[in-house]
Amino acid sequence: MSDFKDLAERYIATWNEPDAAARRAAVASLWTDDGTYTDPLASVAGHDAIAALIAGAREQFPGFTFRLLGPVDGHHDIGRFAWELVPEAGGESVVEGSDVAVVGGDGRIKGVFGFLDKVPASQ
């Protein structure tokens, strides 16, 4: 269980990493070479595509930070956790979601399957 908590914390830290090179290195340390990320808005594979997806989210929401929301749960090679995107200065979340991660034998993520539970209203 603590391994899944550590993995989820590192995952969130990667989404919050402002430096592109450090973020790319974090992606490589977290995901297998052929790792995937899938949510309602995206489906990508490989370190470069995952790092680009994260960069796009950071560009779309400047001044916001991701943080874990609630406990991390896991069994076998599957972990799940909820997260929220909040203003860095504080305030209510603008996006909330939950992710399910499948972990390989080396402890790195093989795939993340994301669900968006709260999204901004379209203007």
Side-chain angles (χ1 to χ4, degrees):
M1 189 68 124
S2 63
D3 290 341
F4 286 116
K5 185 174 187 301
D6 176 66
L7 187 72
E9 289 171 349
R10 290 174 46 221
Y11 174 88
I12 294 296
T14 300
W15 284 80
N16 287 327
E17 176 56 56
D19 181 76
R23 188 170 51 247
R24 175 62 171 78
V27 166
S29 74
L30 275 174
W31 267 273
T32 59
D33 292 342
D34 59 349
T36 62
Y37 176 90
T38 305
D39 71 16
L41 305 174
S43 181
V44 298
H47 295 165
D48 290 340
I50 293 167
L53 177 76
I54 294 171
R58 292 186 51 76
E59 289 170 10
Q60 185 176 358
F61 293 97
F64 286 80
T65 189
F66 290 90
R67 67 181 183 199
L68 285 174
L69 182 63
V72 176
D73 190 19
H75 61 81
H76 296 85
D77 61 351
I78 302 169
R80 69 176 177 171
F81 52 90
W83 52 266
E84 62 183 349
L85 183 64
V86 297
E88 290 174 353
E92 185 177 330
S93 65
V94 295
V95 181
E96 294 180 8
S98 50
D99 290 352
V100 174
V102 178
V103 180
D106 66 356
R108 294 190 300 161
I109 297 170
K110 291 172 36 177
V112 170
F113 304 93
F115 297 85
L116 299 174
D117 304 317
K118 174 184 174 183
V119 295
S122 48
Q123 308 284 27

